[in-house]
Amino acid sequence: MKTNNRLLLLGGVAAATGTMASACSRTAAEKPLNIVYIMTDDHTAQMMSCYDTRYASTPNLDRIARDGVRFTNSFVANSLSGPSRACMVTGMHSCGNRFYDNETCIFDGSQRTMPKMLQAAGYQTALIGKWHLESLPTGFDYWEIVPGQGHYYNPNFITMQNDTVSQRGYLTTLITDKSIDWLENRDESKPFCLFVHHKAQHRNWLSSIENLPYFEDKTFPLPDNFFDDYEGRPAAAAQEMSIMKDMDLVYDLKMLKPGVKTRLSGTYEWMLNRMTPEERKAWDDFYNPIIEDFYKRNPQGRELAEWKFNRYMRDYMKVLKSLDDEVGRLLDYLEENGLLENTLVVYTSDQGFYMGEHGWFDKRFMYEESMHTPLVMRLPDGFDRRGDIDELVQNIDYAPTFLELAGVKVPEDMHGVSLVPLLRGEHPADWRDALYYHFYEYPAEHMVKRHYGVRTDRWKLIHFYNDIDIWELYDLENDPTEMHNLYGKEGYEEITAELMAKIGELQEKYDDPVRFGPEHDKDHAPLTHRQVAAM
Ligand code: SGN
Ligand code: CA
């Protein structure tokens, strides 16, 4: 058994709860570990330079990986904000935490959560930024959240007194300010776990005023499969998240002009009304020449596709620059205050995102770009692991990881698995060989059909169900962009049967009978995977 002297230092609080477990091998002189968990929204690995150098430069995010590890196979369980956050705090798949989708669910804050367990073990816990679980946070000594998606400009915050307070400033900066303030004023006698939840990079990518001029000289080539015809993939064809068809010219691409009304132009104007007169002037001074040029040239066809894609990329990059700078400011604070040695810093996103792949923005699908999520960790002293970790990991694993690091016994029925052995450089022989995924939010915005499936290191099998019954099989080694659905093709019977069995096994393990949604479930008993497969 490994000694865990650090646990002795946690003292009576956790010991008295009887929840201690042997966790990590650190020396007696070291202080208990702290955790800073930074989660952004819709930040995808294609736009993080330690994963992909084609587009963005994110030196501060990369710094986290440089002094620690980069997970190359990090995925979510249900690629949507609320569900991802619920998976993260509970260590359970959506079926276990019962937060299936953003539109119909309210998180039951009375259930077991990792922040509550950390609190019980003597940790100070705080949450700042986007929460998006509808009920007020539980398990945090301090919280300050934005209502719903939050606003980039002069946002409202909900405080612990349940007041809504409007604040001057840009949200990415404000969340960092508040995080640093909390660190400054915390009770230094206790270890802490701070959750910093940014709105950035969520739609509709409103840059800070300072960053407006950046990246205007950059042009980005369209991804090879931008003009995907979705052949053999009817569920992929049915979505409404196309840059060409569904991206709003005013709301997303900022081409506001008197007389031009789009589905979301009113929302965009309402957002701009949050700006101070000075901000609004700087905004208009920047966009007006672009707007004028756009309507004058009136691009069509491929030229319009390139124009839309490039505006999208540039706005995303401007917002990302603030995010990277602000994460840098938080890291500097930790460094200057001697906190880095004994703090695990985690950086991840609530899911990945499409940057024009298949012609899309948004997420939801079990395809790679959105099932994948960036995950890098700066490791505290005592953890010498560096470089890449290639094992299959999922956002349900964060809760057990933090619990183990805090010396709290991970409940046996928790779906996630602690990543601590991987952080120590071990390669457990019995590590999972497949990940389970289930997306439920349909019918809804972007119209991505309900689906579930399994992903191994090489294969992916997906079943789209509900008002469609389509299976898709991908060979990720030979078709990494998932353009060729091999389901039902000759030669793939055996792997298909194996993956189907795996889905059945995982649905049983996680107790996830396929749900058709609240309307259907009122009158029908949930169907098992096997019943659906037999339909
Ligand atoms: C909003 C966005 C959608 C986005 C969802 C979920 N529309 O509804 O484009 O898919 O959030 O995103 S918007 O018109 O309000 O911008 S999530 O990350 O919060 O799950
Ligand atoms: Ca998101």
Side-chain angles (χ1 to χ4, degrees):
M1 193 174 115
K2 293 201 163 67
T3 20
N4 186 359
N5 297 315
R6 184 174 61 78
L7 296 181
L8 302 174
L9 290 164
L10 275 175
V13 200
T17 67
T19 53
M20 307 291 260
S22 172
C24 53
S25 50
R26 293 163 62 83
T27 66
E30 284 172 294
K31 292 186 226 141
L33 276 185
N34 306 308
I35 298 161
V36 173
Y37 174 85
I38 308 168
M39 176 164 61
T40 48
D41 197 343
D42 297 358
H43 183 212
T44 192
Q46 304 95 292
M47 301 299 281
M48 185 162 165
S49 43
C50 70
Y51 280 104
D52 190 334
T53 51
R54 284 176 302 165
Y55 309 124
S57 161
T58 50
N60 291 298
L61 305 183
D62 297 359
R63 197 168 137 194
I64 300 176
R66 186 199 61 203
D67 298 331
V69 293
R70 178 183 80 144
F71 287 83
T72 57
N73 280 306
S74 148
F75 298 90
V76 295
N78 179 357
S79 185
L80 202 61
S81 165
S84 271
R85 286 155 212 270
C87 288
M88 183 276 284
V89 290
T90 60
M92 304 295 279
H93 276 284
S94 304
C95 55
N97 62 50
R98 301 182 304 284
F99 196 98
Y100 298 96
D101 61 61
N102 284 342
E103 300 206 350
T104 65
C105 298
I106 298 176
F107 185 71
D108 172 8
S110 70
Q111 69 186 289
R112 179 183 72 198
T113 67
M114 166 263 290
K116 281 191 212 168
M117 293 173 79
L118 290 178
Q119 253 184 340
Y123 270 65
Q124 247 179 122
T125 56
L127 160 72
I128 293 164
K130 181 175 171 182
W131 174 238
H132 209 198
L133 286 177
E134 301 305 321
S135 54
L136 294 178
T138 56
F140 301 95
D141 296 303
Y142 182 82
W143 56 262
E144 203 173 344
I145 56 172
V146 295
Q149 298 286 6
H151 284 283
Y152 280 111
Y153 275 87
N154 305 313
N156 294 335
F157 280 89
I158 307 175
T159 67
M160 288 178 79
Q161 291 72 43
N162 208 3
D163 286 336
T164 302
V165 191
S166 173
Q167 305 247 313
R168 280 287 292 275
Y170 187 66
L171 185 55
T172 310
T173 315
L174 290 173
I175 289 174
T176 310
D177 287 344
K178 288 176 189 296
S179 301
I180 293 175
D181 277 356
W182 182 80
L183 287 167
E184 276 286 290
N185 295 310
R186 74 189 195 279
D187 174 356
E188 293 195 20
S189 69
K190 289 182 176 178
F192 66 83
C193 182
L194 168 63
F195 298 78
V196 183
H197 290 194
H198 285 285
K199 170 190 174 71
Q201 300 288 112
H202 197 274
R203 191 181 181 190
N204 54 341
W205 315 287
L206 299 187
S207 164
S208 67
I209 296 297
E210 309 84 87
N211 289 354
L212 281 170
Y214 284 92
F215 313 114
E216 287 298 313
D217 56 344
K218 287 219 183 313
T219 29
F220 304 93
L222 294 173
D224 289 345
N225 60 359
F226 187 87
F227 295 106
D228 192 349
D229 61 4
Y230 315 117
E231 202 201 320
R233 289 160 291 144
Q239 51 50 54
E240 294 177 3
M241 47 191 255
S242 146
I243 292 178
M244 279 306 279
K245 294 207 298 278
D246 306 304
M247 204 168 234
D248 195 280
L249 195 57
V250 176
Y251 174 76
D252 292 310
L253 298 165
K254 329 286 181 323
M255 294 300 106
L256 179 66
K257 184 178 134 170
V260 173
K261 290 268 173 284
T262 60
R263 191 172 70 83
L264 294 171
S265 55
T267 313
Y268 181 64
E269 288 190 75
W270 170 74
M271 281 178 176
L272 294 191
N273 285 341
R274 299 194 71 88
M275 293 180 176
T276 64
E278 297 74 29
E279 286 166 344
R280 182 60 198 268
K281 180 174 184 313
W283 189 267
D284 289 342
D285 285 351
F286 174 77
Y287 276 109
N288 281 346
I290 301 173
I291 294 171
E292 212 175 293
D293 175 67
F294 171 75
Y295 287 107
K296 198 165 95 207
R297 287 195 303 108
N298 191 20
Q300 301 293 322
R302 189 180 174 98
E303 198 190 346
L304 179 61
E306 281 168 355
W307 182 89
K308 284 187 168 182
F309 177 67
N310 272 279
R311 285 263 40 102
Y312 167 42
M313 291 292 279
R314 288 181 193 136
D315 286 353
Y316 194 100
M317 305 257 293
K318 293 171 208 268
V319 174
L320 183 59
K321 177 163 166 42
S322 295
L323 177 71
D324 186 72
D325 289 345
E326 292 300 310
V327 170
R329 188 156 69 91
L330 183 59
L331 291 175
D332 289 346
Y333 176 87
L334 296 172
E335 187 163 25
E336 283 154 19
N337 288 276
L339 284 165
L340 279 182
E341 302 84 82
N342 66 322
T343 302
L344 172 81
V345 183
V346 178
Y347 179 84
T348 187
S349 171
D350 65 347
Q351 11 70 204
F353 213 70
Y354 294 90
M355 302 307 300
E357 300 87 357
H358 304 282
W360 297 337
F361 64 105
D362 214 66
K363 53 260 175 176
R364 298 162 192 264
F365 279 107
M366 196 190 160
Y367 302 134
E368 288 297 274
E369 290 82 356
S370 50
M371 184 184 177
H372 189 248
T373 197
L375 178 64
V376 292
M377 295 188 188
R378 191 201 183 281
L379 301 182
D381 290 356
F383 288 84
D384 299 328
R385 185 87 166 88
R386 290 292 177 274
D388 286 352
I389 292 181
D390 300 324
E391 275 84 356
L392 294 171
V393 307
Q394 207 162 22
N395 54 349
I396 51 171
D397 299 335
Y398 308 161
T401 304
F402 298 174
L403 292 175
E404 184 175 350
L405 286 174
V408 180
K409 186 166 167 25
V410 178
E412 272 173 21
D413 63 348
M414 201 169 257
H415 292 165
V417 178
S418 167
L419 305 174
V420 171
L422 308 180
L423 300 181
R424 285 208 204 94
E426 293 164 23
H427 297 280
D430 58 350
W431 194 257
R432 64 161 76 86
D433 58 1
L435 295 169
Y436 182 64
Y437 184 91
H438 198 157
F439 174 80
Y440 307 79
E441 192 177 280
Y442 178 87
E445 198 178 3
H446 301 301
M447 295 303 272
V448 173
K449 309 274 187 195
R450 289 170 195 229
H451 58 290
Y452 58 84
V454 73
R455 188 202 189 277
T456 68
D457 57 352
R458 170 155 181 199
W459 299 96
K460 192 183 283 181
L461 181 69
I462 313 175
H463 184 212
F464 292 92
Y465 69 96
N466 191 28
D467 61 354
I468 192 171
D469 179 12
I470 299 286
W471 289 86
E472 295 184 5
L473 171 71
Y474 296 100
D475 175 352
L476 301 170
E477 203 172 289
N478 292 313
D479 178 26
T481 55
E482 296 158 301
M483 297 292 286
H484 306 288
N485 177 9
L486 301 172
Y487 184 80
K489 297 241 154 68
E490 213 185 310
Y492 296 96
E493 298 80 1
E494 205 176 310
I495 183 68
T496 304
E498 256 173 52
L499 294 168
M500 279 211 183
K502 193 76 198 178
I503 290 181
E505 190 188 301
L506 292 177
Q507 288 192 326
E508 243 150 69
K509 175 171 168 183
Y510 299 132
D511 190 17
D512 189 25
V514 172
R515 286 165 41 103
F516 282 65
E519 274 311 304
H520 178 280
D521 291 351
K522 267 198 302 203
D523 311 315
H524 300 81
L527 297 176
T528 64
H529 153 70
R530 288 190 178 81
Q531 286 170 310
V532 171
M535 274 163 68

